Each structure stands twice: as C-alpha cells, then as structure tokens.
Amino acid sequence: MVKADFYETLGVTKTADEKELKSAFRKLAMKFHPDKNPGDAEAEKKFKELNEAYEMLKDPQKRAAYDRFGHAAFEQGGGGFNPGGGFAGGGFSDIFEDIFGEMMGGGRGGRARSTGGRERGADLRYNMEISLEESFTGKTAQIRVPTSITCEACTGTGAKPGTKPTTCATCQGSGRIRAAQGFFSIERTCPTCHGRGQTISDPCTKCSGQGRVTEERSLSVNIPAGIEDGTRIRLQGEGEAGMRGGPSGDLYIFLSVTPHEFFQRDGADLYCSVPISMTTAALGGTFDVVTLDGAKSRVTVPEGTQVGKQFRLKGKGMPVLRSTQMGDLYIQIQIETPQKLTKRQRELLQEFDQLSSKENNPESTGFFARMKDFFDTLSD
Ligand SMILES: [Zn+2]
Ligand SMILES: [Zn+2]
C-alpha cells in the first residue's frame, strides 16, 4: 500500500512551521470529523490519515526522521530506530549526558539490521579529548572520520569491471522469497543474495564486492560551552553509509576533558587549592587568581585565616550547559609552614612563641587540654 505524503495530506509545504501545521490540521480535521460526516467511510479514512500525519509532523524528532527517510522511518524494523523514543532527529549535535551503559542500543555493528537488502550503516565512535579551557569556551572541532563511498572501479555494482552481477536464481531477482507456514505464506529476505536480487560471481577486487570503499572525510563538530567529561554527542546520520540505499549509521563523539593543573571541577563549580604563607594567614593579605575567563580576581585573606577556609568567587566557575548560568569558583586555602629557617628567623619565632597566649591558638590549646582530660578519665 502506498501511503500519501504527510505534508500533502495536511495540504502544507515541507517548510511549514508548527503554527501552520496546527491550523491546517484543525481546519481539515473539522471538515472530515466523523461526527460531521456520519456513515461516510471515505471521510473517516481521511480523518484517520490526517491524525496520523499530524501526530508525526508535530513531533520535531519524528518529522526530521520522516524528512530524511520518508515512511520507511516508521515501518517495523525499517531504518533501524523506533519512532517511540530513543531516536533524536533534526539536531546536528544531540547531547546525551547519559553514559555508556545502554550505548548504541543495538545499533552498533548495525550491519545485522537488514531490511530487504537495505542495510543500515554501522555507528561510529570517535574519542575526543578537550581541555578545561575548551570546555569553558566551547569550540568547533574539525575531525576526520572514515566514511564509505561508492566504489569507482565497479561503479558500486560490486562486480569485477567488465562483468555484471547476475539475477539471483533463488528469488528471480526480487530479493524476497515466500515460504508457506501453516495457513500463511511468509515472505522473507532471500538467503542467497541477501535481498540484493543479484549475485556476483566475479567480485570487484577493489571493494571485495561491497560496491563501496572507505575514505576519510572532514566533519565539523560543535562542542557547546560547559560540556562535561564523559559526555557523548550524537551526530545523526554521520556514521557509516548504509548498504544499497539503507540509512546511514550515527556518529558518536565521546568527550573527555583533560584534568587541569589548577582547577578541579564538580559540575559547574570549580575548586582551586591555593597555598599561602603562614604570615599571610596570620596577618591577612591579598592575592590574585586568574580565572578561566582570562580575568583576575582578587581574594582578600582576613587576619587569622585557618587552613581549609573556602572563599567563593561567584560566577567564576564553568558555564552551565545550554544556559547563561555560571558555576562558582571555590578557593581553598592551604597554609605553608616555613622551612629552612635562618638563625634570625628562628630567634624571632621563638620569641613570638614565648609571647603567645592561649587566645592566639584556641584550637590547639583546647585540643590538648581536652585530650588530657580524656586520658585522665580513662586512668581513673
Ligand atoms: Zn568495486
Ligand atoms: Zn535472491
């Protein structure tokens, strides 16, 4: 059965936007509604077709699939994706933040997926490493991926130049065979020619009878700002070419973000551990940190700052993917104890120590007092 084109059914052009679709559907649905046309089978059929067409076209993903593959996109087993979900069309880069687990959903090694000789091309995986700075700004990356093109030597027939494929004797060229099963007659792909309808006795040596050869091609990939380590980006239809007119597989970009020398990342927030001198911690002071946006931020350390103290620089973290929000940068204070003291320094510190009171070091003083109490009660 040949199905009418969804766009024609709704009487709109292929470029119709959501509003046009909706109003066209409304108008026609009113006209052919069964309530308005009681007993009119033709109107009922038309009404059903309208519904189906609108259901498909109002969903951007299904619409993209339909634009690409026509009705075959939604036939059972056709094309290699299911219309209910999982398939995301339309986007040049669909971001999937989920991780490997359910990877490829069976699409991997997609050659097994055969529909009457048309085979979906295999999915491809490309590993890409970017720096934290690149994740911060986002970038357009040029990558080279292997792709299949028609073999020039045999012009895609798969037969050795000078020879021709011959009509398959098993299926007489139809690519399908019928087999009786009980009351039913089942049609299936011809096992001899795998649905091609032709067999090649003398395969082309350049492509080993495949009719296509592998070449590299250049592709530009948009890496959005804020992307995280472990993200995968799907480029729909950019995988291996299908066989004999089958749809192409998808290309998956697996992103890893190189660890940074100064910044650790947690979601959109960044952490930076900053060592300051013991005297700065005691007397107070300031220091500058360079942030990923290339600017400098001044941090003021108050007198008596303790190790582990955190300062938040609001909005100085990573961009939140697909938003204008920014994470924060947390400065974590480390305090460096001075080493290799000179004689004079030692004298000064000893003098300082003699002048120290309990109030100067409430934590350590208190700690040892509490510990002493603890052992005293044990020995009682
Ligand atoms: Zn060839
Ligand atoms: Zn055959």
Side-chain angles (χ1 to χ4, degrees):
M1 191 183 84
V2 180
K3 266 176 133 171
D5 180 84
F6 286 152
Y7 291 97
E8 275 173 29
T9 302
L10 290 171
V12 293
T13 63
K14 284 204 172 218
T15 54
D17 62 18
E18 246 175 72
K19 245 172 103 181
E20 287 175 67
L21 278 178
K22 197 170 182 177
S23 92
F25 169 69
R26 277 213 179 141
K27 223 168 80 192
L28 290 167
M30 292 240 278
K31 189 175 164 193
F32 292 101
H33 198 281
D35 288 352
K36 286 199 168 180
N37 305 275
D40 186 344
E42 202 51 42
E44 197 187 332
K45 187 174 160 242
K46 184 85 184 155
F47 184 72
K48 272 186 189 160
E49 283 173 357
L50 284 170
N51 268 302
E52 188 191 12
Y54 183 62
E55 276 307 307
M56 286 303 172
L57 297 184
K58 76 173 182 185
D59 181 332
Q61 296 190 351
K62 289 179 186 170
R63 182 174 177 177
Y66 178 72
D67 286 346
R68 209 174 165 102
F69 304 118
H71 289 298
F74 306 104
E75 279 160 11
Q76 199 70 59
F81 44 81
N82 73 71
F87 175 78
F92 180 55
S93 58
D94 296 306
I95 313 294
F96 286 75
E97 275 135 308
D98 47 284
I99 327 285
F100 316 108
E102 39 75 64
M103 179 179 153
M104 314 311 181
R108 195 131 178 85
R111 281 168 194 250
R113 215 175 291 195
S114 171
T115 48
R118 300 186 316 134
E119 285 173 30
R120 183 180 183 273
D123 291 331
L124 297 176
R125 172 181 173 149
Y126 188 96
N127 295 327
M128 188 187 291
E129 195 167 314
I130 60 169
S131 65
L132 191 66
E133 288 89 336
E134 287 171 326
S135 165
F136 182 84
T137 54
K139 70 180 255 187
T140 303
Q142 297 293 329
I143 61 168
R144 295 189 69 77
V145 289
T147 186
S148 298
I149 57 160
T150 303
C151 172
E152 272 176 30
C154 63
T155 62
T157 63
K160 198 171 192 165
T163 72
K164 273 186 177 168
T166 49
T167 304
C168 173
T170 313
C171 63
Q172 270 79 46
S174 71
R176 318 276 298 162
I177 55 162
R178 292 191 150 273
Q181 196 170 345
F183 291 110
F184 304 101
S185 167
I186 307 251
E187 205 185 59
R188 59 187 175 91
T189 305
C190 170
T192 309
C193 64
H194 307 288
R196 269 180 129 143
Q198 294 180 322
T199 50
I200 296 161
S201 47
D202 221 356
C204 167
T205 46
K206 199 181 166 209
C207 64
S208 317
Q210 292 294 303
R212 50 177 198 175
V213 287
T214 303
E215 266 204 359
E216 280 212 323
R217 87 197 137 115
S218 179
L219 207 66
S220 101
V221 185
N222 176 38
I223 310 292
I227 205 152
E228 288 190 46
D229 187 54
T231 305
R232 110 191 171 205
I233 297 176
R234 178 164 76 160
L235 303 184
Q236 189 213 325
E238 299 289 356
E240 205 179 65
M243 295 264 275
R244 296 175 291 278
S248 298
D250 299 331
L251 171 65
Y252 290 82
I253 312 276
F254 281 72
L255 273 163
S256 51
V257 180
T258 322
H260 197 271
E261 190 186 350
F262 299 115
F263 301 112
Q264 282 86 47
R265 182 179 188 174
D266 181 18
D269 293 332
L270 290 175
Y271 291 83
C272 180
S273 184
V274 175
I276 60 171
S277 69
M278 182 190 75
T279 45
T280 304
L283 303 172
T286 59
F287 60 83
D288 290 333
V289 279
V290 179
T291 48
L292 281 179
D293 55 8
K296 269 186 195 166
S297 285
R298 177 148 291 190
V299 177
T300 303
V301 180
E303 208 178 295
T305 291
Q306 303 297 327
V307 70
K309 167 83 182 163
Q310 228 168 232
F311 298 101
R312 183 169 80 143
L313 302 181
K314 207 167 180 305
K316 290 291 183 183
M318 296 295 287
V320 177
L321 195 67
R322 285 177 171 171
S323 90
T324 52
Q325 286 178 50
M326 297 291 289
D328 301 328
L329 170 61
Y330 290 92
I331 303 295
Q332 297 172 313
I333 296 298
Q334 303 299 322
I335 295 169
E336 189 172 37
T337 306
Q339 304 169 69
K340 296 182 180 160
L341 301 176
T342 63
K343 187 164 173 279
R344 174 79 181 121
Q345 284 172 322
R346 187 178 296 273
E347 284 165 9
L348 281 171
L349 280 177
Q350 279 164 345
E351 195 183 332
F352 173 82
D353 191 45
Q354 278 154 20
L355 292 171
S356 288
S357 68
K358 203 169 157 183
E359 283 71 41
N360 293 139
N361 304 295
E363 281 299 317
S364 48
T365 315
F367 177 81
F368 289 107
R370 285 200 305 281
M371 198 169 212
K372 187 176 176 297
D373 287 349
F374 174 72
F375 281 106
D376 285 349
T377 47
L378 275 187
S379 54
D380 276 348

